[in-house]
Amino acid sequence: MWVHLNGRLVEESGAFLSVFDRGLLYGDGIFESMSAVAGVVFREGRHLDRLGRSAAGIGLPLPLTASGFSAAVRDLLDRNRLQDARIRVTITRGEGRPGDYVEAYGPPSVVMAASRFEGVDPSLYRNGVRVAVARRRQIPPETLDPAVKSISRLTSVLARREAREVGAFEAILLDGDGRLTEGTVSNLFLVLGGGLLTPPAPAGGLPGITREAVVELARAASIRVSEEPLPAGSLETADEIFLTNTSWEILPVVRVGERAVGGGVPGPVTRDLLARYRDLVRFECRSGLAGPDWKARS
Ligand SMILES: Cc1ncc(COP(=O)(O)O)c(C=O)c1O
């Protein structure tokens, strides 16, 4: 595969960064994960806006404008002949020195990589997944703004390992007061009495692009949506639970630990929203209409 490295398309096997890159030394950087359908990135403008906010949140001057990023992503997809793809943009503060927490000794490092992607295993949607509430807690917003999509992911990695130890697919993180926040790589929704409940973003987690689309779709379908702080116990009373992210779309949760959610099968509201979400992605990507994303892009 070809990757974009600091302004050039290079073959993956020849793409190298310094061993003193601050991304490696300190996790000092940000990233975005996007998906393309039929060669068009779903809500690219939203992703690039979020990248800009992440960069501002850590005081990192972005080396490219939004249109520069967009053109680079286009080149990357074209060079790799990709239509349906996952794209990761990673930006670090550049080369540093061990022990020097503050200074970067070069420009930011930019890496963009893409791979073929046609969705996750379809059986996950048919059967749903199990989640586990992690013992470790979410990084508090006072420590790191949850809206910053930072490459420092150790909390998420360890929480996910905890989940895997008990056979769960995703870990749910609580805040210091025991309220629900999000998954390690996903936003969390509960269905209760036909309406949706989700922790507020960014207070309760990353403002996901998929989360935003789901809220729009639900409201358009006259499904009540409430963004509110939720105690961990809400997981026990929910009729349905689902997770959202760019790759998983809307993933039904059928077990929290040992306890079945609903009837232990994906529920009707989750299935309905998944169908609507897929239609939306197809519509926006295939019709060439950018939908509500257009304003952000132009
Ligand atoms: C911590 C976290 N929350 C939520 C999400 C979902 O965001 P999106 O829907 O933009 O993929 C992600 C995506 O990677 C994430 O890492």
Side-chain angles (χ1 to χ4, degrees), residues 47 50 149 153 182-187 206 208-211 244-246:
H47 282 283
R50 189 170 67 185
K149 202 163 158 61
R153 305 292 279 190
E182 59 181 345
T184 61
V185 291
S186 56
N187 290 115
L206 183 78
I209 309 298
T210 323
R211 175 188 186 278
T244 62
N245 78 20
T246 294

Coordinates of all heavy atoms in Angstrom, one line a residue, residues 47 50 149 153 182-187 206 208-211 244-246, ligand 1:
H47 N -15.1 15.4 10.0 CA -13.9 14.8 10.5 C -12.8 15.9 10.5 O -12.0 15.9 11.5 CB -13.5 13.6 9.7 CG -14.3 12.4 10.0 ND1 -14.0 11.6 11.1 CD2 -15.3 11.8 9.3 CE1 -14.9 10.6 11.1 NE2 -15.7 10.7 10.1
R50 N -13.2 18.3 13.3 CA -12.8 17.7 14.6 C -11.3 17.6 14.7 O -10.8 17.9 15.8 CB -13.5 16.4 14.7 CG -13.3 15.8 16.1 CD -14.1 14.6 16.4 NE -13.7 13.4 15.6 CZ -14.3 12.3 15.5 NH1 -15.4 12.1 16.2 NH2 -13.9 11.3 14.8
K149 N -9.2 14.1 20.1 CA -8.9 12.7 19.7 C -7.4 12.5 19.7 O -6.8 12.6 18.7 CB -9.6 12.5 18.3 CG -9.9 11.0 18.0 CD -10.9 10.9 16.9 CE -10.9 9.6 16.2 NZ -11.2 8.5 16.9
R153 N -3.5 6.6 24.0 CA -4.7 5.7 24.1 C -4.5 4.6 25.2 O -5.2 3.6 25.1 CB -5.0 5.1 22.8 CG -5.2 6.0 21.7 CD -6.4 6.8 21.8 NE -7.6 6.1 21.4 CZ -8.8 6.6 21.2 NH1 -9.0 7.9 21.5 NH2 -9.8 5.9 20.9
E182 N -18.5 6.5 27.6 CA -18.4 6.0 26.3 C -17.7 4.7 26.3 O -17.2 4.2 27.3 CB -17.8 7.0 25.3 CG -16.4 7.3 25.8 CD -15.6 8.3 24.9 OE1 -16.1 8.6 23.8 OE2 -14.6 8.8 25.4
G183 N -17.5 4.0 25.1 CA -16.7 2.9 25.0 C -15.2 3.3 24.7 O -15.0 4.6 24.7
T184 N -14.3 2.4 24.5 CA -12.9 2.8 24.3 C -12.8 3.4 22.9 O -11.9 4.2 22.7 CB -12.0 1.6 24.4 OG1 -12.3 0.6 23.4 CG2 -12.0 0.9 25.8
V185 N -13.6 3.0 22.0 CA -13.5 3.5 20.6 C -14.9 3.8 20.1 O -15.1 3.8 18.9 CB -12.8 2.5 19.6 CG1 -11.4 2.4 20.0 CG2 -13.5 1.2 19.6
S186 N -15.9 4.0 21.0 CA -17.3 4.1 20.5 C -18.1 5.0 21.4 O -17.8 5.1 22.6 CB -17.9 2.7 20.4 OG -17.8 2.1 21.7
N187 N -19.2 5.6 20.9 CA -20.2 6.2 21.8 C -21.2 5.3 22.1 O -21.4 4.2 21.5 CB -20.7 7.4 21.0 CG -19.7 8.6 20.9 OD1 -19.4 8.9 19.8 ND2 -19.3 9.1 22.0
L206 N -16.1 11.5 23.5 CA -15.8 12.2 22.2 C -17.1 12.5 21.4 O -17.9 11.6 21.3 CB -14.9 11.2 21.3 CG -14.4 11.7 20.0 CD1 -13.3 12.7 20.2 CD2 -14.1 10.6 19.1
G208 N -18.7 12.0 18.7 CA -18.6 11.1 17.5 C -19.4 11.6 16.3 O -20.5 12.1 16.4
I209 N -18.8 11.4 15.1 CA -19.5 11.8 13.9 C -20.7 10.9 13.7 O -21.7 11.3 13.2 CB -18.5 11.7 12.7 CG1 -17.2 12.4 12.9 CG2 -19.2 12.2 11.4 CD1 -17.2 13.9 13.2
T210 N -20.5 9.6 14.0 CA -21.6 8.6 13.9 C -22.7 9.0 14.9 O -23.9 9.0 14.6 CB -21.1 7.2 14.1 OG1 -19.8 7.1 13.6 CG2 -22.1 6.2 13.5
R211 N -22.3 9.3 16.1 CA -23.3 9.7 17.2 C -24.1 10.9 16.7 O -25.3 10.8 16.8 CB -22.5 10.1 18.4 CG -23.3 10.7 19.5 CD -22.3 11.2 20.6 NE -23.0 11.6 21.8 CZ -23.6 12.8 21.9 NH1 -23.6 13.7 20.9 NH2 -24.2 13.1 23.1
T244 N -21.8 3.2 18.8 CA -21.6 3.8 17.4 C -20.1 4.2 17.2 O -19.5 4.7 18.1 CB -22.4 5.1 17.2 OG1 -22.0 6.1 18.2 CG2 -23.9 4.8 17.4
N245 N -19.6 4.0 16.0 CA -18.4 4.6 15.5 C -18.3 4.4 14.0 O -19.2 3.7 13.4 CB -17.1 4.1 16.3 CG -16.6 2.8 15.9 OD1 -16.9 2.3 14.8 ND2 -15.8 2.2 16.7
T246 N -17.3 5.1 13.5 CA -17.3 5.1 12.0 C -17.2 3.7 11.4 O -17.8 3.5 10.3 CB -16.0 5.9 11.6 OG1 -16.2 7.3 12.1 CG2 -15.7 5.9 10.2
Ligands
LIG1 C1 -13.2 7.2 22.4 C2 -14.1 7.3 21.2 N1 -15.4 7.6 21.3 C3 -16.2 7.6 20.3 C4 -15.8 7.3 19.0 C5 -16.7 7.3 17.8 O1 -16.4 8.4 17.0 P1 -16.8 8.4 15.4 O2 -18.3 8.1 15.4 O3 -16.5 9.7 14.9 O4 -16.0 7.3 14.8 C6 -14.4 7.0 18.8 C7 -13.9 6.7 17.5 O5 -12.8 6.3 17.3 C8 -13.6 7.0 19.9 O6 -12.3 6.7 19.8

